[in-house]
């Protein structure tokens, strides 16, 4: 593992390079406060070097047949499996989630590589003979050029893999800019990529923050930008990339509602909603943030979820039996605790108060225990703001129509879930809810790698999503060819 003295490196043109950055930030274990390494805020010149390396590599890489390109991904898949547990531990150490949660994240990494291995089929175009007599028309897909991902802190391994494997399998070359809060996992993954023998410059790693990102957005040779992070930054990146003529997809923040009907299986619902709200300390874009009970569901669910919140085992994610880790930074903890206070001021009742807990042995960690607020006013800040912490707000309404109206009144549209045993209610919800990922008796409706990771309204800016066929569309441009061949045998045309 990287230690406090060790500088995190960039990987450009197949070489590990120390950044010339004038500023470095500490990478801190959020449970122990131990410094794990130092990350450079790479200057624009290093983005330039990465773009140049990617541009040089592109000339040859796009000519490598798709069946040969995916051989590197098959090798990477094997290496990821071999180093699975070490990578999961690194995720836990720098990001705070439990080891089981980190393993779940790694599973999704491997799954995305697996799907991208199908590029020889997925990247095919289509054609029609005789669009007019003797004339044929083809649609073929070609790579876009150089792509880049700008990633958030909460899934250090998975999120770049919603994009990168598809990008390179389609013949593009690529730049990864990890979150400056969690750069260690990508250091390790790039060591594995290096072992696959992938030609130099096909993938590049540039660490940094805002200035590094701006250099990516403004670089004329980088043609496709994928961003995942908070909504204000998503909007900024979307508009700046578009103004620079790039294709761009930006996944933003969320405020995910879960509806609970009286006919739901309460025991299962409570367990699933608790996992959704408090898993990964609520730092998931698919975390339940508001639970809306309908009719008689109110009383039973409130008691049950309060008990689930109180009994959740909080601690260091590497320790056995721990069910929830810390939040990412002391600033994040302070922000979440201030939002809880705001909710109380707005009139919500605090049923379980997780603020400022003492976790023996980890007194310097950024811990907040699960928190439950009851009767959250729908117009208040707490009901409308992404908290990104282990805080569940409860609301109560009398009908499913009112509940769906509440769902659709929010600004975000990342996920909405319904718990019920009624197929008719489920269909109504699926049909009417304004969100891109829908769960029916599911608490974290995370699409598998062969489906697009959707998101609507303020949770997504763009047209094509990450993963699966959408990723193939995003990382290819269509070329249409119309052909007529004259010759002896075709004279009659
Ligand atoms: P963030 O927006 O602070 O940072 C994301 C990335 O943008 C980082 O790489 C960061 O270096 C860069 N960045 C930050 N500010 C910037 C600026 N002003 N200019 C240019 N670049 C900038 O997000 P975060 O705190 O790392 O991640 C949490 C957020 O991500 C939450 O809002 C969460 O909902 C969202 N998220 C969304 C999804 C999704 O699929 N919709 C998935 C995971 C996380």
């Amino acid at each position: 593992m990287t230690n406090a003295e060790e500088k995190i490196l960039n990987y450009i043109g197949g070489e590990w390079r120390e950044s010339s950055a004038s500023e470095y930030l500490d990478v801190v274990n959020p449970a122990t406060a131990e410094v794990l390494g130092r990350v450079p805020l790479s200057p624009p010149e290093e983005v330039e070097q990465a773009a140049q390396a990617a541009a040089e590599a592109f000339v040859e890489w796009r000519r490598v047949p798709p069946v040969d390109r995916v051989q590197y991904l098959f090798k990477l898949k094997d290496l990821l499996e071999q180093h699975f547990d070490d990578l999961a531990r690194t995720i836990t150490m720098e990001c705070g989630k439990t080891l089981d949660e980190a393993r779940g994240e790694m599973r999704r990494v491997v799954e995305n590589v697996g799907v991208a291995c199908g590029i020889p089929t997925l990247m095919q175009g289509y054609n029609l003979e005789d669009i007019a007599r003797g004339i044929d028309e083809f649609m073929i897909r070609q790579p876009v050029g150089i792509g880049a991902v700008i990633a958030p802190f909460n899934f250090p391994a998975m999120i770049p893999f919603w994009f990168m494997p598809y990008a390179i399998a389609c013949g593009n070359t690529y730049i990864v800019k990890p979150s400056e809060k969690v750069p260690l996992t990508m250091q390790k993954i790039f060591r594995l990529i290096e072992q696959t023998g992938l030609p130099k410059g096909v993938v590049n790693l540039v660490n940094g923050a805002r200035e590094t990102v701006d250099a990516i957005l403004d670089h004329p040779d980088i043609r496709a930008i994928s961003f995942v992070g908070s909504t204000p930054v998503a909007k900024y990146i979307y508009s700046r990339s578009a103004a620079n003529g790039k294709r761009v997809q930006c996944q933003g923040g969320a405020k995910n509602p879960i509806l609970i009907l009286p006919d739901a299986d309460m025991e299962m619902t409570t367990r699933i909603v608790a996992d959704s709200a408090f898993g990964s300390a609520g730092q998931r874009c698919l975390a339940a943030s508001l639970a809306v009970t309908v009719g008689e569901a109110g009383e039973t669910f409130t008691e049950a979820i309060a008990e689930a919140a109180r009994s959740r085992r909080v601690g260091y994610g590497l320790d056995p039996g721990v069910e929830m880790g810390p939040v990412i930074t002391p600033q994040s903890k302070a922000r979440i605790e201030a939002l809880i206070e705001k909710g109380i001021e707005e009139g919500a009742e605090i049923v379980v108060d997780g603020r400022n807990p003492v976790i023996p042995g980890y007194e310097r960690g950024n811990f907040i225990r699960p928190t439950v607020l009851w009767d959250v006013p729908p117009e208040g800040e707490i009901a409308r703001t992404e908290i990104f912490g282990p805080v569940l707000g409860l609301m109560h309404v009398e009908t499913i129509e009112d509940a769906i109206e509440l769902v659709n009144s929010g600004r975000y549209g990342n996920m909405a879930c319904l718990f019920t045993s009624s197929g008719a209610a489920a269909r109504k919800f699926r049909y009417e809810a304004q969100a891109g990922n829908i769960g029916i008796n599911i608490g974290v409706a995370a699409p598998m790698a062969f489906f697009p990771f959707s998101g609507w309204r303020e949770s997504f800016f763009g047209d094509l999503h990450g993963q699966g066929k959408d990723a193939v569309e995003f990382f290819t441009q269509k070329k249409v060819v119309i052909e007529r061949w004259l010759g002896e045998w075709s004279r009659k045309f």
Side-chain angles (χ1 to χ4, degrees), residues 9-21:
L9 302 176
N10 292 333
Y11 183 75
I12 297 175
E15 282 171 16
W16 289 96
R17 297 188 193 170
E18 188 172 318
S19 172
S20 62

Side-chain angles (χ1 to χ4, degrees), residues 151-154 177 180 227-230 251-253 285 386 388 453:
F153 79 80
N154 62 332
K177 203 299 282 174
E180 64 278 20
F227 169 86
V228 181
S230 58
Q251 300 188 210
C285 67
E386 177 175 43
F388 224 55
F453 194 105

